[in-house]
Each structure stands twice: as C-alpha cells, then as structure tokens.
Amino acid sequence: MSSKIQVLVQPGTIIIIQNNNYKVRLNMIYGKVRVLRNSHRAFKCIPWLLILFASTSTYAAFTDSLTVGNAKALGLGHAVTADPPGIDSIHFNPAGLTRLKGRQMHIKGVYGLFETNYDLGGYGEYQQGLIDELLEYQYPGSNGVIPPEAEAYFYDEALNSKSSVEGPTVMLPGGMIDIPFAGGVMGGASYSPPGSNMTFATNVYAPMMSGYNRAEDDPGRFFQERGAFTLLTYFSPSVGIEISDELQVGFALNFSYAGMGLELPAREPHLLLWQYGHPWFQDNFCNDDGTPTGTPDLNLCHIVSPYISYGDLRIEADQALVMSYNFGLLWSPEPWITFGLSYNSAVKNDLDGDWEFPIDPFFNQVLLDNMNGSLWPSFQALTGALGLPLPGVAETEAQGKGGKVNVQYELPQHASAGISIQITPKWKYNFDVKWTEWSVFSDIQINFDRDIAFLMLGSIADKLLYRGQNGIEPNGVRYQLNLQDVTYWGMGTEYQYNDKLAFRLGYENRPSAVPSETPNAFIPINDGILYSVGIAYEFESENTLDFSIGYMNSKSHYPPCSADLGNGCNPNNVAYGPYQGQDLRSEVSFLLFEVLYSRYF
C-alpha cells in the first residue's frame, strides 16, 4: 500500500509527521548547554567598543552528533559510519537506508542533565597592581586596604564568586525561550517498495540545538546571560540505493530552520577606564564640585567605575529555510566487514532579525557630555574628511533604540570514515575517524541597519591601528573566531546476548576546536571524553527499542591574564575581557539519556 509522507511546520515549535495511516505529533522543545564563542582582538585604544558583539557563544564546536538523538549511535560512541542507525542514517550515512525494508517509522526521545559552572577567583598580579596604584595615590599608606568611601568605585561583584547556568534556552521562530529541561521528541519514516533496490526516507532531527540562560544577578552573566543557536532539520528527503550486495550509496537533501539569539550585559575593566577614574584627572582638570576647569568641552570629571555594566546587547535573528546535503557509501567486500564513508555539507546561514543595545544612563551621559561640547564637531569634520566618520549625539542616542540586523555565518562541513567488523556471531566492533572544518565558523558577519556610535569609534581604531583586519565598519563587524579544524575518533562494541537482546559500549574522544595557544575563557568546554552504554531489544513483531546513556566532563583553567577573550590584561591587545586579571576555572558535565522506538507499519 502506498504511503504519502508530509512534514508540516506549525507555529509554536510543533512538528507533525503525517502519512495515510499515522499522524505523530512531535514536540520539538529541545535544548542543551551551550559553550560560548569567542572573537578576534579588536582595538588598542578604546576598549569598551569591542564588547558589543564579542561573545555569543560557540557552542557548536563541541556538539557534533550529540543533539541528533540516536540511541544506537550514542551507545556505540557515534562510531556508526559503517554501521548506520536506521532512519537516522540520513545524518550519519545515507547509504545505510538500504538496510530498511518495507515501511518503517521511528520516534526518539532525548533528555539531558547539564551543568556549566565557573569559579571566578581572585586577582592576579596585574589587576591587583592597578588597584594598589590608585589606592596609594589617593590614600597614601593604605597598604592595599580599600577605605569605605572608595568601596563603591572598586566593587567587583564577580570577585571570588561562582557562576552557574540555570537552564536551557532555545531559539525558535518566535524568538528565544527558556525551557524547564533539556529534552524533546523527534521522529521520521522510511519506505522501500517491494522488490526495489531503493529506500526513501525523511527525518526530523537537530544537527545543532544549543543554548542556556543565567540569572539576572549571576556574576557570570558578562560571559552571556542568555543565548541560543539552532539548526533544526524539519524535512530531509533521502534515498539509499543498493547497487550490489557489496556496495550501497545514499543521498539526503536537508531543509532546515536556523536561528541565533543573544542577551549580553557588557562591562570592560580595561586600563583606560582605570586611568579615566584616576584621581590625577580630578586634581588637574576638575573643580571641587566635579565640573571641568579650563576645558569645559572636554569633561574628564566623571567617576566611572571600571566594573560598571554599561549596556545590554540583544540580538535575535533567524532564517526559515537553509539547505544542505549529506552523502554516504557502504562497501562490504566480505559479509563480516563493512567500510563506510559519509559527508555532511556546510550550511550557509543568512539570518535576519532585530537588535537592541540599551546603554546604562550614566555611561551614556559620560559619552554625551563630551559630544555636546564645541570641540567634538571639529573632530567630526577632521576625521570625516579622512573617511573615518565620528559619531555624534544622534548616533549615540539612537544606538539604544535598536533596529534590524543581518547575521551571516557558515556551519562547517563534516566527513567521517569507519569500519565495522563482525568479530564473532555475538561480538561486533566499530571504529570511526572524523573531521570537522570548524575554521570556517571563524568568520561571522553582523550587519546593522544603520551606523552605530560604538562601531563608528571602533572602525577608526581598527583602520588606523590594524589596517582594517578586524573587519569593523560603522554599521557592521566581521568576527574572526580563531577556531581550528578538528580530527577525532570514536569506537564502540556490541554484544548480541541472544536473538532479542544486545548490549553496547562506546568511547569517543572529543577535542576542542579552540587552539591551545589562544585560550578562550568564553568557551567553558574543551577537550573531553564521551563514555556511553546502551541496550537494544527486539520484540516479536520485529519492532525494536534502543536505550543509551552518555556521560562527559570537561574542566578548564585560565590563570590571570592568560585568555585574551575573558581575562586578558594586555592593553595593546584588547579583546573583550570582562574578568580582566582574574583567575578563572570552568567545568562542564552532562548526562545524556536517549531512547528510540522503531516499528514497521
């Protein structure tokens, strides 16, 4: 009997897979801890300009296959290129579809327990030196003890504190939403006509689904308070072709939704802010009442704490349809051994959405007080003649109102090669080598619908000091994330206890995409090992139930001033360093539960 398969996307994060006999309603609420992306250094003289868009999170560099949610693949350490797992062969190796006969469907559930914690420790020598210098100048003989009247200026809420993620966040067509748990349900269907050498299939799965949220008063929110990246494949017409008993090939075309969201409170305790608040300026340029003396057009009398949170960047952007494809082949020269190759194409995203950047009223006034003077228009005319426009009052006031944004980035291509050996009738061993081109994700282009004051200043610094290599323009910025390609491996073994019951063990080495020579404290997860166990049971009706558990833990340490993005101290190599000079430690762990039910219909 023929079967028409439809995949309908409805508002409210609901996916429906429908055919003539079944209608399966799949709630796509799904999330996981996300690690943070970094950015390239930006400028040398105006430290607070970079923070605008420096840290949405990477994330994905470490989520290869984890969010697809196939219990068999997890139980075998994702070493399934030569032993593809049912309908999810669409992702792992489409040639595996040829092993599915008749009409089949599967429903799979995923649930994760995730923890991301930071220890935000004490200051190192550099940062403590800045504090001691200021104290000694204004309070001689203080011996590093902050007097009560100076506590507000030196107060750092993140000093010797802890930060933890509260829960998962996902980006969906309606925007970012916080969800109570990291989990969800997905599914797919396949059909092979009687006597045919071809199998057709479609699947709903998440090549990437990562995001998290922190409390509004969490001291780690300057890494990111909320954020999410999504790539959700809602329709994947695929075909597997059995060329011979020894050789099979497969191809899948993926229709996906892509989205990203970010909410980032920003601060930057850079050397210039410390100098701006130095008492020397008050003594030489200010009256006792805090008004400027002699130079009313250059107001250096504001007392700006270096730990002030001066703005809150918010971006949400998405794309309803992005296209990609998967290709794979299987070769079995002997019945007991199979070789597999698989390729997942890159995914080019071109997202549209909205942005806001409300500025702290006090910090905004600091900027406006200088722009309202008679000297600023002269500076504007001079730099404008050189093709380097300075912002005015209008641009500074407008940047807090937001507007439209376009975000462009490429998710990397992925290739894998594997072998599956049936050692004995009961024992099977799989081994995979994989490669992901994360370096292409190092360029993220963000374009705004108008010039932004902070970017106008940043563009001047970039062009004068770095010949524009950081890609900063008055209305856009190109982030160079400095990720590297990764090659890694996994292996798994399966023991067929009897005709109905099988046990699985998996091990996967998952290296970091962040180069060791350029550490990035915004990405809390680095090198780690995924351990997994699984079980499979086949019922009398030839329907099967797979269940697996996976565990991974990753710890990182960033000594004071070691990570330019996070706690860097070099004033001539400014990246976003909200925790300048602090000792930072991170730990990420997760426990992943996956269940899959496959049946004929």
Side-chain angles (χ1 to χ4, degrees):
M1 181 172 57
S2 65
S3 175
K4 181 179 180 181
I5 297 174
Q6 297 177 335
V7 175
L8 311 173
V9 179
Q10 295 190 354
T13 76
I14 298 296
I15 300 292
I16 292 177
I17 296 182
Q18 180 175 331
N19 59 60
N20 292 343
N21 301 318
Y22 294 88
K23 184 177 181 180
V24 182
R25 189 177 178 84
L26 304 178
N27 189 343
M28 290 306 300
I29 303 249
Y30 183 99
K32 81 174 281 293
V33 168
R34 152 183 160 185
V35 291
L36 298 176
R37 89 181 174 194
N38 62 349
S39 75
H40 194 62
R41 68 177 188 173
F43 6 81
K44 183 175 182 179
C45 293
I46 309 177
W48 51 81
L49 305 180
L50 180 61
I51 27 230
L52 294 186
F53 317 100
S55 79
T56 359
S57 103
T58 289
Y59 0 53
F62 314 99
T63 61
D64 283 351
S65 300
L66 286 178
T67 56
V68 174
N70 185 274
K72 176 183 176 181
L74 176 62
L76 292 170
H78 297 110
V80 291
T81 303
D83 184 21
I87 296 170
D88 276 329
S89 297
I90 290 174
H91 172 77
F92 291 100
N93 186 344
L97 294 173
T98 58
R99 299 180 177 184
L100 304 176
K101 302 302 179 184
R103 294 186 302 183
Q104 295 190 37
M105 61 173 290
H106 75 200
I107 299 176
K108 55 186 179 180
V110 185
Y111 178 74
L113 297 173
F114 299 90
E115 289 189 1
T116 299
N117 300 311
Y118 274 93
D119 285 329
L120 310 173
Y123 299 136
E125 181 179 348
Y126 174 86
Q127 196 71 2
Q128 191 61 52
L130 292 178
I131 297 173
D132 293 344
E133 177 192 349
L134 282 176
L135 285 173
E136 185 61 29
Y137 184 93
Q138 191 161 9
Y139 305 99
S142 60
N143 296 321
V145 178
I146 300 174
E149 59 268 32
E151 287 180 353
Y153 178 82
F154 288 105
Y155 175 68
D156 178 4
E157 63 179 286
L159 181 64
N160 293 316
S161 65
K162 294 184 181 297
S163 171
S164 61
V165 166
E166 289 209 328
T169 297
V170 294
M171 181 66 190
L172 295 166
M176 277 196 301
I177 60 172
D178 301 332
I179 57 180
F181 62 90
V185 179
M186 295 171 281
S190 68
Y191 174 62
S192 179
S196 174
N197 67 335
M198 294 190 293
T199 301
F200 305 94
T202 187
N203 198 19
V204 177
Y205 66 101
M208 182 198 302
M209 186 76 74
S210 58
Y212 69 82
N213 62 84
R214 288 186 172 96
E216 293 181 358
D217 60 350
D218 187 290
R221 68 187 183 279
F222 302 108
F223 281 128
Q224 182 172 292
E225 185 174 318
R226 298 174 73 228
F229 261 71
T230 295
L231 182 66
L232 173 63
T233 299
Y234 51 80
F235 183 46
S236 52
S238 311
V239 60
I241 304 173
E242 187 175 11
I243 297 177
S244 67
D245 291 341
E246 293 79 26
L247 183 63
Q248 299 86 40
V249 298
F251 181 83
L253 186 62
N254 303 313
F255 297 75
S256 303
Y257 163 84
M260 67 156 286
L262 168 69
E263 185 171 336
L264 174 68
R267 72 176 195 174
E268 177 69 40
H270 182 267
L271 178 62
L272 283 185
L273 276 183
W274 285 89
Q275 296 301 324
Y276 190 88
H278 199 287
W280 183 85
F281 287 100
Q282 312 300 316
D283 295 343
N284 292 277
F285 294 95
C286 305
N287 297 314
D288 291 340
D289 62 358
T291 58
T293 61
T295 55
D297 289 317
L298 185 61
N299 189 342
L300 301 176
C301 299
H302 289 290
I303 304 299
V304 182
S305 168
Y307 296 108
I308 184 176
S309 174
Y310 55 82
D312 190 355
L313 173 66
R314 302 163 190 164
I315 292 178
E316 289 186 354
D318 62 6
Q319 184 177 359
L321 174 62
V322 293
M323 303 290 294
S324 62
Y325 65 90
N326 308 330
F327 172 79
L329 64 85
L330 292 171
W331 178 51
S332 302
E334 298 292 341
W336 53 271
I337 187 170
T338 302
F339 299 93
L341 291 174
S342 181
Y343 174 78
N344 304 95
S345 74
V347 184
K348 295 186 177 181
N349 298 281
D350 190 351
L351 316 181
D352 293 310
D354 302 293
W355 70 275
E356 293 180 325
F357 191 50
I359 305 297
D360 176 83
F362 170 71
F363 193 84
N364 203 47
Q365 192 60 48
V366 172
L367 298 176
L368 292 175
D369 280 353
N370 286 294
M371 293 179 180
N372 280 321
S374 60
L375 294 178
W376 195 259
S378 300
F379 291 148
Q380 283 184 298
L382 176 61
T383 60
L386 298 174
L388 302 170
L390 276 173
V393 173
E395 289 87 358
T396 303
E397 291 178 338
Q399 69 185 359
K401 300 176 182 177
K404 296 297 181 181
V405 66
N406 173 261
V407 183
Q408 299 172 12
Y409 58 90
E410 182 175 330
L411 295 178
Q413 60 182 332
H414 172 84
S416 61
I419 183 172
S420 179
I421 304 173
Q422 193 71 47
I423 301 174
T424 72
K426 288 185 175 293
W427 285 97
K428 179 171 61 177
Y429 175 78
N430 294 350
F431 182 85
D432 270 17
V433 175
K434 308 175 184 184
W435 171 81
T436 305
E437 191 185 17
W438 281 113
S439 60
V440 303
F441 193 58
S442 290
D443 277 341
I444 298 179
Q445 180 70 42
I446 302 179
N447 302 308
F448 300 91
D449 57 349
R450 62 174 180 271
D451 292 347
I452 299 174
F454 279 162
L455 287 182
M456 295 174 76
L457 294 171
S459 176
I460 294 175
D462 185 30
K463 289 179 171 61
L464 291 179
L465 301 174
Y466 294 103
R467 300 181 181 179
Q469 69 182 25
N470 296 296
I472 302 171
E473 298 293 340
N475 63 344
V477 60
R478 185 184 73 253
Y479 286 103
Q480 302 163 52
L481 305 182
N482 280 339
L483 298 181
Q484 64 183 358
D485 301 343
V486 294
T487 301
Y488 59 107
W489 58 274
M491 63 180 179
T493 186
E494 181 179 276
Y495 174 67
Q496 192 71 42
Y497 179 75
N498 57 36
D499 291 342
K500 301 295 183 183
L501 185 63
F503 298 96
R504 297 173 179 137
L505 288 174
Y507 176 99
E508 187 175 21
N509 176 40
R510 302 182 71 91
S512 172
V514 178
S516 58
E517 62 272 15
T518 55
N520 174 9
F522 271 73
I523 298 180
I525 186 171
N526 282 287
D527 296 342
I529 302 296
L530 175 67
Y531 302 93
S532 61
V533 296
I535 187 172
Y537 185 79
E538 183 176 322
F539 299 94
E540 295 295 335
S541 58
E542 294 187 342
N543 300 330
T544 59
L545 182 68
D546 294 89
F547 176 75
S548 293
I549 301 174
Y551 173 78
M552 181 174 169
N553 179 270
S554 177
K555 296 182 180 180
S556 302
H557 179 212
Y558 307 94
C561 304
S562 63
D564 285 341
L565 193 71
N567 68 354
C569 300
N570 185 352
N572 295 320
N573 186 25
V574 177
Y576 181 34
Y579 303 97
Q580 176 175 291
Q582 277 189 262
D583 187 74
L584 304 178
R585 296 178 185 270
S586 66
E587 181 175 6
V588 176
S589 62
F590 64 80
L591 195 61
L592 195 61
F593 301 88
E594 297 183 354
V595 60
L596 184 145
Y597 175 66
S598 305
R599 60 163 294 174
Y600 289 87
F601 65 97

